[in-house]
Amino acid sequence: MNTSAHFPAEGGCDCGQVRYRLETHPLFVHCCHCRWCQRETGASFALNAMIEADRVSLLSGEAVIINTPSASGKGQLIARCPKCLVALWSSYAGSGPIMRFVRVGTLDNPDLLPPDIHIFTASKQPWLQLADDAPTVSEYYDRKQYWPPESQARYQAILPDIRAYKAGLKDQ
C-alpha cells in the first residue's frame, strides 16, 4: 500500500488536549514484541512509526516527557498528554530528540501504518499468529537490509545530528 498519498496525517490523545501531525510518511514502522514494550503498553506489542522529530508538528497542547526505564539501561523519554496520560511518542537514547517513535494507535487513522517489520519476536506472545509474509526478526535488525532506499537516505541526512547529540551526552 502506498501510504505517501495519505500524508500529512494527524493524531492525538484520547481527551484531545494534545494533537500532532506527521508531515510525511515515517521512515519505518516497527511492531515490537519485546517484554519492555509489552509491559509499557499493557498489550502484546507496541506499534511505533519511526520519523524525524522535525517532521512531527505539534498542533495543540504540550506533551509531558516522562523518563522510563528501557532494556538498554539508558531509558526512553515518553511524550504523554498531561491530562489523559496517553503515550503519543517516545525518544530513545540511540537517536535522542532527533527521532520520534510515534505510537501508531494515536493516529486518527492508524490503518495507514501497518508494521514494516516485527522485531524481538523471540519474546512474542506464543498465541499471537503473524502473517506468513510479514518480515520478522528474533531481536533487532540491520537497517540496510530492510529499509527502503528513501528511508535510508533520510536517515543518513539526520545522522550528523544524531552523532552530535550523542557527543554532547559524553561531554556532560
Side-chain angles (χ1 to χ4, degrees), residues 123-135:
S123 53
K124 167 183 93 51
Q125 290 295 310
W127 50 262
L128 182 62
Q129 300 298 312
L130 302 178
D132 290 336
D133 62 346

Side-chain angles (χ1 to χ4, degrees), residues 38-54:
Q38 290 178 36
R39 189 173 23 263
E40 193 248 303
T41 62
S44 300
F45 52 82
L47 191 58
N48 292 313
M50 295 176 65
I51 188 168
E52 302 93 323
D54 64 1

Side-chain angles (χ1 to χ4, degrees), residues 50-73:
M50 295 176 65
I51 188 168
E52 302 93 323
D54 64 1
R55 293 179 184 223
V56 181
S57 298
L58 193 59
L59 301 176
S60 65
E62 285 290 329
V64 294
I65 306 299
I66 309 296
N67 191 352
T68 61
S70 67
S72 72

Side-chain angles (χ1 to χ4, degrees), residues 33-143:
H33 298 269
C34 78
R35 296 294 184 192
W36 287 85
C37 282
Q38 290 178 36
R39 189 173 23 263
E40 193 248 303
T41 62
S44 300
F45 52 82
L47 191 58
N48 292 313
M50 295 176 65
I51 188 168
E52 302 93 323
D54 64 1
R55 293 179 184 223
V56 181
S57 298
L58 193 59
L59 301 176
S60 65
E62 285 290 329
V64 294
I65 306 299
I66 309 296
N67 191 352
T68 61
S70 67
S72 72
K74 298 176 183 175
Q76 70 171 301
L77 300 176
I78 302 178
R80 294 183 176 274
C81 169
K83 185 176 177 186
C84 68
L85 300 178
V86 164
L88 299 162
W89 60 79
S90 292
S91 294
Y92 293 90
S95 57
I98 313 303
M99 183 91 67
R100 290 192 177 158
F101 291 70
V102 175
R103 301 297 196 276
V104 171
T106 65
L107 286 168
D108 294 343
N109 183 3
D111 300 352
L112 290 176
L113 296 176
D116 292 312
I117 195 165
H118 291 267
I119 60 175
F120 293 97
T121 58
S123 53
K124 167 183 93 51
Q125 290 295 310
W127 50 262
L128 182 62
Q129 300 298 312
L130 302 178
D132 290 336
D133 62 346
T136 62
V137 291
S138 63
E139 292 188 13
Y140 205 69
Y141 62 93
D142 179 0
R143 224 179 261 114

Side-chain angles (χ1 to χ4, degrees), residues 13-30:
C13 63
D14 282 343
C15 74
Q17 183 170 325
V18 180
R19 297 284 302 160
Y20 68 87
R21 179 173 48 236
L22 300 182
E23 300 297 344
T24 65
H25 61 86
L27 296 164
F28 213 59
V29 179
H30 290 161

